[in-house]
């Protein structure tokens, strides 16, 4: 298992969290997604290493912007 | 046609607007729903007079609070 974290901007409520979660959960190998509209933090746990760009694209698909956290 | 307006609190984004719109559109006789998360204004146009309480209940079902505007 490998967890990577991202900072998402633009989420304002639980609907926004759900939109991000749904897109990221569709990525191959993703097991768990935690996301907070309050902090903007997105945590992605996957069975295999997952490309940052795949996560960033999924977030964008949901209508938000993200960057990989340090 | 009759249009009534309500003030909704708690909406923060387009997802919230959609949640309210979907619930209110299900009410019998409703033809058009306009809703703004920015102003909180909800405008409901119906073919026949519609009970305020029906609209308020639909908004509550969506997870928000509303009052009839003056």
């Amino acid at each position: 298992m490998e967890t990577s974290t991202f900072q998402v901007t633009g989420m304002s409520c639980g609907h926004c969290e759900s939109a991000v979660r749904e897109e990221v959960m569709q990525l191959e190998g993703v097991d768990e997604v935690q996301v907070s509209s309050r902090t903007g933090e997105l945590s992605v746990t996957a069975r295999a290493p997952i490309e940052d760009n795949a996560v960033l694209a999924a977030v964008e698909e949901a209508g938000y912007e993200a960057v990989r956290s340090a």
Side-chain angles (χ1 to χ4, degrees), chain A residues 28-47:
Chain A
E28 179 72 24
V30 168
D31 265 329
E32 190 184 355
V33 173
Q34 293 189 316
V35 59
S36 164
S37 64
R38 191 177 57 80
T39 63
E41 189 170 293
L42 165 66
S43 169
V44 182
T45 302
R47 288 186 292 279

Side-chain angles (χ1 to χ4, degrees), chain A residues 14-67:
Chain A
H15 296 119
C16 299
E17 294 171 349
S18 296
V20 169
R21 184 182 296 108
E22 280 173 25
E23 288 294 337
V24 176
M25 279 300 291
Q26 288 176 27
L27 297 176
E28 179 72 24
V30 168
D31 265 329
E32 190 184 355
V33 173
Q34 293 189 316
V35 59
S36 164
S37 64
R38 191 177 57 80
T39 63
E41 189 170 293
L42 165 66
S43 169
V44 182
T45 302
R47 288 186 292 279
I50 191 167
E51 295 277 352
D52 287 357
N53 280 346
V55 176
L56 299 179
V59 171
E60 195 165 328
E61 187 66 28
Y64 304 91
E65 296 290 329
V67 293

